[in-house]
Amino acid sequence: MVGKDIKYDAIIVGAGFSGLYMMHKLRKAGFSAVVLEKADQVGGTWHWNRYPGARCDIPSLQYSYQFDEDLQQEWSWGEKYSAQPEILDYLNHVADRFDLRKDILFNTEVISCDFDEDNLVWKTVTNAEVYESRFCIMATGCLSVPNKPNLPGLENFEGELLHTGSWPVEPVDFTDKKVAIIGTGSSSIQSIPVIANQAEELYVFQRTANYSIPSNNAPMDKEEESLVKSRYQEFRKENYLNGFGIAGLEEEALAVEATEEDRQAKFEKRWESEGLGFLGAYSDLMFDKESNKLAANFVREKIKGLVEDQETAELLSPQHCIGGKRLCVDTGYFKTFNQPNVHLINLKEDPIKEIQSLSISNEADTYEIDILILATGFDAITGAITNIDIKGRRGVSLKDQWESGAKSYLGLGISNFPNLFTVTGPGSPSVLSNMVPSIEQHVNWITDCMVWMAENKKSVIESTHSAEEEWMSQVNEIADLTVYKQVESWYNGSNIKEKSKDFLPYIGVPTYTEQITEVVNNDYQGFVFDKSN
Ligand code: N01
């Protein structure tokens, strides 16, 4: 289907969950494509995030592809929540099973993508070569550019410096080591209990305490697995009808209307079994500040019960709305602070003054360390896209266009950037949904669109500026109804100083699904085809 001198219909950037399925789907639809991947192997986020304790906090039976019935029937997960090595094995299996590697170029970092308006071609420059394609598809992930904060004296550190989001392939041995970890988000909360069991001393530098619910992880319940597999397609469809696209969040009752006894019983039940599903105990927890407070108080009481030293428990007790920052799911996190080798340092009260060759100092103390771990998160949702120098019509830079806020239509298309698609881009449910089904939904949509264009002899698709503006207003209007905007988080760019503070995920998988379907049914309303310059 390619034009005469253009080698590929599509360039796909990234070989994680998105890029692998995108390649498979385009190939099946008869398009020529190549995946450009910076790493030397597949996996995306599951390749880079190999820190100890890394695990998915969405049940494995849901955090997996559904596009191939044989695959979903034949693959068996070992645990309720899979650990990083098992997910990486799965992605390697998928790459082999669908013979995807032959169309992936590893060790290939994309530096820039330029749209040539005269020839309607994307020119993608990598560290190795220039590729030409009609379409450019960003399968770059929402959490793939590590945030490395500018800490005073960090450049002077001479010990081992690690980031949870770009962990080395070789295992790190913490035995007899003094370790510092900065940050207390999901990555840190997962890794702290594991590191604490090895390290001589572990210093946890906390700026903001976080809510975490026990994962209650266990070996896969074979009965449950059989049950799900006996009706896998229906099970997946039912999940799509849920606001976050995850089973178990479907309660309709309101916390504010429930009795104290009922609330205690429901919260307790979910604390004992659900992980992220804790927030599904009532339907108003993310919408009503008072209800949210009830759930938050329950978790704070749990922390008091788990942590022996009540001063430490108090420090570990978050004060913001629960769920406003991504809820964490852990295996023994709070109890780890009962170990004598684990020390909590409150950065709010006494920030890091300086990092020296083998120590960290704040006003009160100096901590001698061998290993420093930055668990400081990511330039989320937009970082991996703006990290590439993307230029669209008239040489407009995407980074500049997004400087005062990332705007996208449906999280799929961007005005001024014809034939460029983003998988789980800003303005789509992405990180506020189960990522894998959301990825599949976008890959299917993009492929269907490309097929439609071929059938209808259209060369170029581009979202309109007004469609994009209206869409992002809708994203924000929905978020205004929730507690999300009341909390500083990476959902709204607050973790990166230079970033515009916009709330980017679309809340509500079913409404989103309805709308992207309607757009297609209305001949891609909000997009224009073959627009002249
Ligand atoms: O990153 P985070 P993460 N000085 O941004 C602190 C997904 N994930 O890698 O809150 C001191 O959540 C920062 O403090 P504050 C999941 O979606 C999924 O842990 O800004 N501290 C915070 O405590 C998750 O939400 C799984 O005050 C600094 C921490 O660093 C997302 O990835 C597993 C600082 C960063 O927390 C990101 O999680 C792991 C500074 N200068 C992750 N800068 C699954 O299970 C930042 N911090 C699927």
Side-chain angles (χ1 to χ4, degrees):
M1 293 190 197
V2 227
K4 118 165 137 343
D5 299 319
I6 310 165
K7 200 164 168 203
Y8 297 107
D9 286 307
I11 290 290
I12 302 163
V13 186
F17 265 101
S18 306
L20 290 178
Y21 179 43
M22 194 77 242
M23 183 65 234
H24 174 67
K25 187 81 183 166
L26 287 184
R27 194 195 274 168
K28 269 187 89 175
F31 293 104
S32 61
V34 65
V35 180
L36 306 177
E37 170 55 58
K38 180 176 161 188
D40 59 1
Q41 56 171 292
V42 301
T45 198
W46 296 105
H47 161 71
W48 298 106
N49 287 267
R50 330 171 154 247
Y51 58 83
R55 182 179 292 286
C56 186
D57 54 16
I58 291 178
S60 322
L61 286 167
Q62 296 181 55
Y63 192 84
S64 48
Y65 289 122
Q66 59 190 289
F67 69 84
D68 186 273
E69 186 58 20
D70 290 343
L71 169 67
Q72 69 176 1
Q73 289 298 336
E74 287 165 27
W75 183 268
S76 265
W77 295 102
E79 294 174 277
K80 179 177 175 187
Y81 297 103
S82 310
Q84 174 271 335
E86 195 180 11
I87 303 175
L88 193 57
D89 281 352
Y90 172 74
L91 288 170
N92 273 293
H93 170 79
V94 169
D96 292 334
R97 185 176 182 121
F98 299 101
D99 197 15
L100 300 176
R101 287 179 211 280
K102 66 178 182 206
D103 289 317
I104 304 174
L105 296 171
F106 294 104
N107 301 306
T108 304
E109 183 170 4
V110 174
I111 293 156
S112 65
C113 302
D114 279 84
F115 187 64
D116 171 349
E117 283 189 83
D118 296 332
N119 299 301
L120 306 179
V121 168
W122 277 100
K123 291 194 172 155
T124 298
V125 178
T126 71
N127 55 336
E129 249 195 78
V130 180
Y131 298 88
E132 294 198 341
S133 61
R134 282 184 53 219
F135 293 89
C136 202
I137 302 170
M138 294 293 146
T140 37
C142 291
L143 296 160
S144 37
V145 175
N147 169 34
K148 293 180 183 152
N150 197 7
L151 298 163
L154 184 62
E155 66 285 1
N156 300 325
F157 186 64
E158 289 174 5
E160 193 166 3
L161 180 63
L162 302 163
H163 193 294
T164 46
S166 53
W167 200 262
V169 173
E170 289 303 314
V172 179
D173 185 6
F174 295 99
T175 317
D176 299 330
K177 295 281 171 25
K178 295 187 176 69
V179 183
I181 187 162
I182 299 178
T184 45
S186 297
S187 306
S188 188
I189 282 177
Q190 286 186 334
S191 56
I192 281 171
V194 184
I195 298 170
N197 279 342
Q198 278 182 32
E200 184 183 317
E201 303 292 343
L202 177 61
Y203 300 102
V204 179
F205 289 84
Q206 171 185 280
R207 192 164 65 183
T208 311
N210 245 319
Y211 295 95
S212 187
I213 311 294
S215 72
N216 302 294
N217 188 32
M220 178 57 71
D221 177 336
K222 290 291 164 191
E223 236 173 79
E224 192 199 339
E225 185 186 25
S226 304
L227 193 69
V228 167
K229 285 190 173 179
S230 70
R231 52 184 302 276
Y232 226 147
Q233 295 297 348
E234 290 108 290
F235 175 74
R236 304 278 199 183
K237 270 190 207 137
E238 285 161 14
N239 297 345
Y240 264 137
L241 297 176
N242 178 281
F244 295 92
I246 304 169
L249 291 170
E250 68 279 350
E251 286 286 342
E252 281 178 8
L254 305 177
V256 276
E257 288 181 355
T259 62
E260 179 59 23
E261 200 184 352
D262 181 66
R263 279 195 296 261
Q264 280 300 317
K266 277 227 174 88
F267 287 147
E268 188 66 43
K269 187 162 172 250
R270 292 203 171 232
W271 175 269
E272 291 296 336
S273 61
E274 286 290 349
L276 283 182
F278 178 81
L279 288 176
Y282 293 96
S283 62
D284 57 345
L285 296 184
M286 297 310 291
F287 296 93
D288 182 319
K289 226 175 158 183
E290 287 311 307
S291 305
N292 188 282
K293 228 184 244 172
L294 296 165
N297 285 341
F298 177 89
V299 178
R300 284 193 285 261
E301 284 303 309
K302 283 287 180 194
I303 297 170
K304 274 192 205 161
L306 289 165
V307 180
E308 287 159 11
D309 176 62
Q310 287 305 294
E311 222 174 281
T312 306
E314 188 54 37
L315 257 184
L316 287 167
S317 295
Q319 299 307 317
H320 53 272
C321 295
I322 184 168
K325 281 180 188 286
R326 167 69 151 68
L327 186 63
C328 302
V329 176
D330 69 280
T331 306
Y333 174 66
F334 292 112
K335 276 191 167 174
T336 305
F337 289 88
N338 298 333
Q339 291 182 208
N341 64 332
V342 180
H343 318 275
L344 184 64
I345 294 116
N346 179 4
L347 291 182
K348 277 248 164 83
E349 193 184 86
D350 192 355
I352 292 172
K353 219 167 79 186
E354 205 186 355
I355 298 175
Q356 299 93 349
S357 62
L358 285 172
S359 58
I360 303 186
S361 300
N362 59 5
E363 205 52 53
D365 223 329
T366 292
Y367 307 88
E368 305 292 332
I369 54 167
D370 308 296
I371 300 177
L372 171 56
I373 302 170
L374 303 178
T376 44
F378 301 89
D379 182 352
I381 306 175
T382 54
I385 304 171
T386 52
N387 236 15
I388 299 170
D389 182 14
I390 304 176
K391 297 225 168 75
R393 286 198 190 277
R394 303 172 302 282
V396 170
S397 142
L398 182 57
K399 199 170 177 184
D400 290 348
Q401 184 163 312
W402 277 1
E403 197 173 2
S404 55
K407 298 224 163 103
S408 149
Y409 183 41
L410 314 176
L412 283 158
I414 305 159
S415 65
N416 284 328
F417 295 84
N419 286 359
L420 180 121
F421 291 115
T422 51
V423 181
T424 62
S428 72
S430 62
V431 292
L432 282 180
S433 69
N434 178 359
M435 282 301 285
V436 184
S438 288
I439 284 167
E440 285 184 290
Q441 181 180 57
H442 271 192
V443 168
N444 294 341
W445 193 98
I446 293 166
T447 310
D448 291 348
C449 176
M450 287 171 64
V451 169
W452 186 91
M453 286 174 69
E455 286 169 358
N456 290 277
K457 312 231 172 328
K458 308 284 188 199
S459 303
V460 176
I461 181 172
E462 184 180 345
S463 69
T464 65
H465 180 66
S466 56
E468 196 172 82
E469 289 284 327
E470 280 167 31
W471 183 255
M472 292 316 277
S473 301
Q474 191 189 140
V475 169
N476 274 278
E477 279 159 22
I478 299 170
D480 283 339
L481 303 172
T482 71
V483 299
Y484 284 107
K485 277 196 168 174
Q486 294 165 19
V487 179
E488 291 195 344
S489 73
W490 57 258
Y491 294 139
N492 51 37
S494 299
N495 65 329
I496 310 267
K497 206 168 151 203
E498 303 75 31
K499 251 181 127 162
S500 169
K501 309 292 173 255
D502 302 290
F503 188 85
L504 295 178
Y506 185 101
I507 303 168
V509 171
T511 334
Y512 178 80
T513 305
E514 265 167 39
Q515 293 195 72
I516 60 167
T517 311
E518 210 173 293
V519 165
V520 176
N521 293 340
N522 290 327
D523 293 338
Y524 292 92
Q525 189 179 18
F527 289 95
V528 283
F529 292 93
D530 298 340
K531 174 178 147 186
S532 52
N533 298 336

